[in-house]
Amino acid sequence: MAHTDLEQEAAALRSEIERHNYLYYVLDQPVVDDSEYDRLFRRLVDLEKEHPEIATADSPTQRVGVAPVTAFTQHGHLVPMLSLDNAFGEDELRAFDDRAKKGLGGDAVQYQAELKFDGLSISLTYEDSLLTVATTRGDGGTGEVVTPNARTVRGVPLKLREHVPGIIEVRGEVVMYKENFAQLNLSRAERGEQVYANPRNAGAGSLRQLDSRITAERKLNFFAYGFGAGDRLAETQSGLLDKCRALGFAVNEERKVLCGLPEMMAYLDKWREKRPSLPFGIDGIVFKVNNLDQQETLGATSRGPRWAIAYKFAAEQAFTKLNRIFAQVGRTGAVTPVADLEAVIVGGATVTRATLHNYEDLHRKDVREGDTVVIQRAGDVIPEVVGPVLDKRPVDAVIPEPPTVCPECNQPLSQVAGQVALLCTNKQCPAQIAAKFRHFVSRGAMDIEGLGEKIIDRFLELGYLTDLPSIYTLKDKEAELMNLDRMGELSIKKLLSGIEGSKTRPLHKFIFGLGIRQVGDRGAYELASHFRTLEKLRHADYDQLKAVADVGPKTASEIWEWFEDANNRAMLDQMLDLGVKPEEGAAPESTIFEGKTFVFTGTLTQMTRPEAEALVLKLGGKAAGSVSKQTTYVVAGPAAGSKLDKAIQLDIPVLSEQDFLNMVDSEEIAGPGTLGL
Ligand code: IVH
């Protein structure tokens, strides 16, 4: 095909794909099914791959993320991103309406009511219709540049659908849909990774990934709610959002222009009730003076505009009956109480169970079987028992006793001194064994596709699985497996190739999969980076283990004991004999932090703490959990506590997060930074 024909085909595909994105994400009216969309997308990917010279920056193929950055750069907003004043209750809303009326001469004021998305605000800069910069809100004046990440977000046009000359800033909220959040947490839990507390945190964490390919996988959505810099594109707030929609942005479809307190209250009532059925989280309603001239007349304070107010909803709670409290056994043998509830809808999902964390917490809250309890979904998702409704306590409500024997294997439970968790120490406990398998094969560990929870249970029952090495003998039973009911040839082939592929997983994943007490994914990563080979790790003595970043005395002895145990040693040898050969731990990419130990404290805003620590390791340094004379730098964010005090006491240089990132960027070790300590 001639070059111009190829270019024409690519251009046609791009506009066709963006049209489908618009129909799907903005208008909510898809006209093709997923397979047709995928076909168009793949054709465009192939074309651009074969002919890189015809690729364009606004191509939808650019929405899948690009190679990671080491840090976010800062970007000043042309117009500050203000916050909103809050109103709680009718009186405060009336006061707002009265102030607006007074400021505008006394007549009734028209407002646009909008949903208040519970997400993360961003600002998108378009230059001559092309998306050039995307930033987080930051401190309102300056934000972090997250352009590659924002490109992956649904509802963000890479190119405006109508030409707008010059620069405009479009503002709005990035949210994670409840469904995507639930999926993400499920797979994180399966992999043994920490789950996000709510969709807002998950959305913020996902947008702030240094690797935008991860952001792309997280499936975020954007809703535009206003403008920053740029020519005024309409006369009213409702006109602005109509314009946003025409330009290609997803907007608040539930918005309504209304007037007077009764209408405002009716709108609030309607959305308070409908809130659970929305696919994304909202934490209130925003009322904005609709006329833009009037907005200008009212102006703003340093905090927020006088023409808008956020009416906040209360946390979503519900009452239900707690039928029973039962004990659940985890992988490490920890036994936790779980509440079995009469089904109730909270925050849009039916809740039948809620964890009670541990027996101490349960007694502190004085929760009893038969109680009516208050259930709350923290940030929409994880249900918790807030406490009992004492007025409704039946006379025969039962105070739950902690179990003395394991609910699964009947062996006596023990309690480690100083810890709240009850433990089943029976190594043969079936619940623990099944949980160990689930952990070993999970995505964060050996990532064995096809060996799900149900298959594990079934294979345990049939005796095909006995201990972890038995996973690697399943291939000798291929013929038998083929004879099992409900097991197709294809799924068995897939399972066996998944098992085969897992033999060479990176060392840190293998270590994590072993399920050594106190060794999470980060600890496993540190052990792998430190010792590099399984051989070195398994022969390390207590002191050598303790020398690893973030391995304290307790963890060191857990690891040492684990490798001393004859059963564990035999199990490892067996796995090695069966061909398991974990890939050696990666060498650091650079030596700029060699010999330097970092401690992070307080809130980091540009990356998570594990990400920061992984960065230190990658650059040849060490990351520790506590401050000592061996610490070279303490990186302190807001809300830093005792670690910061200790650093000052020991005269250890304290860096801000930005100093640290500058250091990473400049590849040289700077002195103490902006905290001026
Ligand atoms: S307007 C100057 N509209 O709420 C006015 N904000 O609590 C700027 N938010 O920072 C905000 N939905 O992140 C506006 N429909 C909406 C909103 C909204 C959510 C967020 C936004 C803002 C925060 C203030």
Side-chain angles (χ1 to χ4, degrees):
M1 220 192 283
H3 207 252
T4 46
D5 290 347
L6 286 172
E7 273 181 326
Q8 267 169 16
E9 186 189 351
L13 282 165
R14 280 179 205 126
S15 83
E16 184 67 358
I17 292 167
E18 286 299 5
R19 188 174 75 89
H20 291 310
N21 284 342
Y22 185 64
L23 284 163
Y24 190 92
Y25 295 116
V26 179
L27 303 185
D28 200 15
Q29 287 164 355
V31 294
V32 290
D33 61 16
D34 289 358
S35 63
E36 172 62 7
Y37 181 90
D38 290 346
R39 193 188 63 76
L40 295 169
F41 200 87
R42 271 200 310 274
R43 172 71 187 143
L44 181 59
V45 170
D46 289 346
L47 272 183
E48 291 181 352
K49 210 190 263 163
E50 276 166 35
H51 307 277
E53 68 284 1
I54 65 168
T56 60
D58 62 344
S59 173
T61 55
Q62 301 303 303
R63 290 182 179 278
V64 291
V66 293
V69 292
T70 48
F72 297 119
T73 50
Q74 304 281 315
H75 179 86
H77 306 303
L78 293 177
V79 170
M81 290 182 81
L82 299 180
S83 189
L84 290 172
D85 271 337
N86 291 325
F88 293 94
E90 193 173 342
D91 290 347
E92 291 185 18
L93 196 59
R94 181 180 298 111
F96 164 74
D97 184 35
D98 288 346
R99 275 198 309 273
K101 280 192 281 202
K102 203 168 146 210
L104 295 170
D107 290 343
V109 177
Q110 282 211 322
Y111 299 101
Q112 169 153 266
E114 297 173 13
L115 302 183
K116 184 172 186 306
F117 299 102
D118 194 8
L120 177 86
S121 50
I122 60 167
S123 182
L124 303 169
T125 304
Y126 288 83
E127 291 176 41
D128 289 330
S129 299
L130 278 186
L131 174 65
T132 50
V133 185
T135 58
T136 60
R137 178 172 182 274
D139 61 7
T142 304
E144 299 140 15
V145 175
V146 289
T147 319
N149 311 54
R151 284 177 181 281
T152 72
V153 175
R154 292 121 190 260
V156 171
L158 305 181
K159 183 180 174 187
L160 300 177
R161 292 178 69 81
E162 291 174 8
H163 184 63
V164 180
I167 292 186
I168 57 165
E169 286 176 328
V170 176
R171 269 93 194 255
E173 200 90 344
V174 171
V175 296
M176 183 178 280
Y177 274 38
K178 291 174 185 172
E179 190 190 344
N180 294 331
F181 171 73
Q183 286 264 328
L184 172 66
N185 261 0
L186 198 73
S187 53
R188 286 179 75 84
E190 269 174 16
R191 294 196 298 257
E193 292 168 9
Q194 217 174 353
V195 293
Y196 286 105
N198 53 49
R200 180 166 28 81
N201 287 359
S206 302
L207 190 73
R208 287 226 189 88
Q209 292 288 330
L210 291 168
D211 187 343
S212 50
R213 290 169 299 197
I214 300 179
T215 315
E217 282 171 14
R218 298 285 178 86
K219 302 196 181 95
L220 299 171
N221 284 68
F222 173 77
F223 290 96
Y225 55 61
F227 284 86
D231 289 342
R232 191 194 263 195
L233 297 175
E235 295 310 311
T236 57
Q237 171 69 18
S238 58
L240 280 184
L241 293 201
D242 291 340
K243 187 71 188 173
C244 281
R245 196 172 192 255
L247 292 177
F249 297 94
V251 293
N252 232 293
E253 294 301 349
E254 298 75 13
R255 62 208 155 99
K256 189 176 174 194
V257 176
L258 38 75
C259 188
L261 198 66
E263 283 187 26
M264 293 164 105
M265 292 308 291
Y267 186 87
L268 280 172
D269 290 343
K270 173 175 158 190
W271 285 103
R272 193 183 284 110
E273 198 173 310
K274 288 183 79 168
R275 175 186 186 192
S277 59
L278 281 168
F280 45 77
I282 60 168
D283 57 346
I285 298 294
V286 187
F287 294 100
K288 302 175 180 175
V289 169
N290 197 33
N291 184 299
L292 300 188
D293 285 335
Q294 291 186 336
Q295 287 190 2
E296 261 176 38
T297 306
L298 289 170
T301 66
S302 63
R303 193 189 129 69
R306 290 199 193 89
W307 46 264
I309 193 103
Y311 186 103
K312 290 291 226 16
F313 288 141
E316 287 182 89
Q317 293 192 332
F319 297 104
T320 191
K321 186 165 170 241
L322 189 158
N323 292 324
R324 198 171 65 93
I325 291 170
F326 64 94
Q328 189 170 280
V329 191
R331 167 173 61 84
T332 55
V335 177
T336 47
V338 178
D340 175 25
L341 309 163
E342 209 117 282
V344 62
I345 295 182
V346 200
T350 307
V351 174
T352 53
R353 280 185 184 181
T355 176
L356 283 152
H357 307 296
N358 55 60
Y359 286 89
E360 205 174 85
D361 197 42
L362 185 159
H363 285 137
R364 191 178 48 76
K365 289 181 175 159
D366 186 24
V367 177
R368 302 185 190 179
E369 288 180 339
D371 266 342
T372 294
V373 287
V374 180
I375 302 295
Q376 179 170 301
R377 299 187 76 193
D380 268 0
V381 172
I382 301 161
E384 62 174 336
V385 178
V386 180
V389 183
L390 294 176
D391 292 353
K392 296 204 173 156
R393 172 164 287 169
V395 279
D396 57 351
V398 180
I399 301 180
E401 281 303 318
T404 51
V405 296
C406 172
E408 300 281 345
C409 69
N410 274 323
Q411 296 296 304
L413 296 177
S414 58
Q415 185 154 27
V416 182
Q419 284 184 25
V420 283
L422 285 174
L423 280 183
C424 168
T425 51
N426 173 14
K427 295 224 163 64
Q428 302 311 317
C429 173
Q432 284 181 56
I433 291 176
K436 275 200 181 98
F437 275 99
R438 288 201 294 273
H439 175 73
F440 186 76
V441 306
S442 66
R443 227 182 286 168
M446 298 297 264
D447 194 9
I448 304 182
E449 224 188 309
L451 200 48
E453 203 168 321
K454 290 213 177 86
I455 308 264
I456 291 176
D457 288 346
R458 195 159 168 214
F459 284 7
L460 279 169
E461 224 167 83
L462 291 166
Y464 291 149
L465 290 180
T466 46
D467 51 12
L468 296 181
S470 63
I471 294 174
Y472 296 96
T473 61
L474 282 176
K475 69 170 187 299
D476 306 333
K477 303 188 180 71
E478 187 168 348
E480 270 178 75
L481 297 180
M482 297 275 191
N483 280 331
L484 289 176
D485 279 353
R486 289 173 284 132
M487 288 288 291
E489 189 180 328
L490 204 70
S491 55
I492 296 194
K493 288 254 178 298
K494 220 168 117 186
L495 166 66
L496 294 179
S497 84
I499 293 175
E500 205 50 36
S502 76
K503 288 180 172 171
T504 48
R505 290 280 180 263
L507 179 60
H508 67 97
K509 291 192 160 220
F510 180 74
I511 300 171
F512 177 57
L514 294 176
I516 305 169
R517 231 188 279 271
Q518 313 264 4
V519 180
D521 53 354
R522 202 181 83 197
Y525 189 85
E526 276 161 8
L527 289 167
S529 327
H530 187 95
F531 291 106
R532 304 268 154 77
T533 68
L534 182 63
E535 268 324 282
K536 286 202 187 109
L537 168 65
R538 67 186 295 189
H539 295 115
D541 63 24
Y542 173 81
D543 287 329
Q544 287 168 321
L545 288 165
K546 221 175 67 141
V548 178
D550 238 21
V551 171
K554 217 162 78 192
T555 309
S557 57
E558 287 281 2
I559 302 170
W560 187 78
E561 275 166 33
W562 196 94
F563 283 106
E564 271 299 285
D565 183 294
N567 287 329
N568 290 339
R569 283 171 173 262
M571 182 184 84
L572 279 182
D573 287 336
Q574 247 175 308
M575 279 206 266
L576 298 182
D577 284 349
L578 287 165
V580 177
K581 196 170 179 298
E583 199 183 89
E584 292 186 7
E589 283 172 16
S590 145
T591 52
I592 63 162
F593 285 169
E594 202 172 278
K596 311 270 182 264
T597 301
F598 289 75
V599 174
F600 293 87
T601 177
T603 317
L604 299 184
T605 56
Q606 311 199 31
M607 51 176 69
T608 64
R609 196 180 300 196
E611 278 166 3
E613 289 172 350
L615 194 57
V616 168
L617 289 179
K618 218 167 77 178
L619 301 179
K622 283 184 180 170
S626 54
V627 180
S628 70
K629 280 196 200 118
Q630 274 72 50
T631 311
T632 323
Y633 295 104
V634 170
V635 181
S642 60
K643 288 181 198 167
L644 179 58
D645 298 342
K646 184 133 187 225
I648 295 167
Q649 217 177 50
L650 295 177
D651 219 9
I652 291 165
V654 177
L655 308 176
S656 69
E657 183 180 2
Q658 194 54 51
D659 296 332
F660 167 69
L661 290 174
N662 292 344
M663 211 179 226
V664 169
D665 263 355
S666 68
E667 304 218 346
E668 60 180 70
I669 308 298
T674 50
L675 285 183
L677 296 164

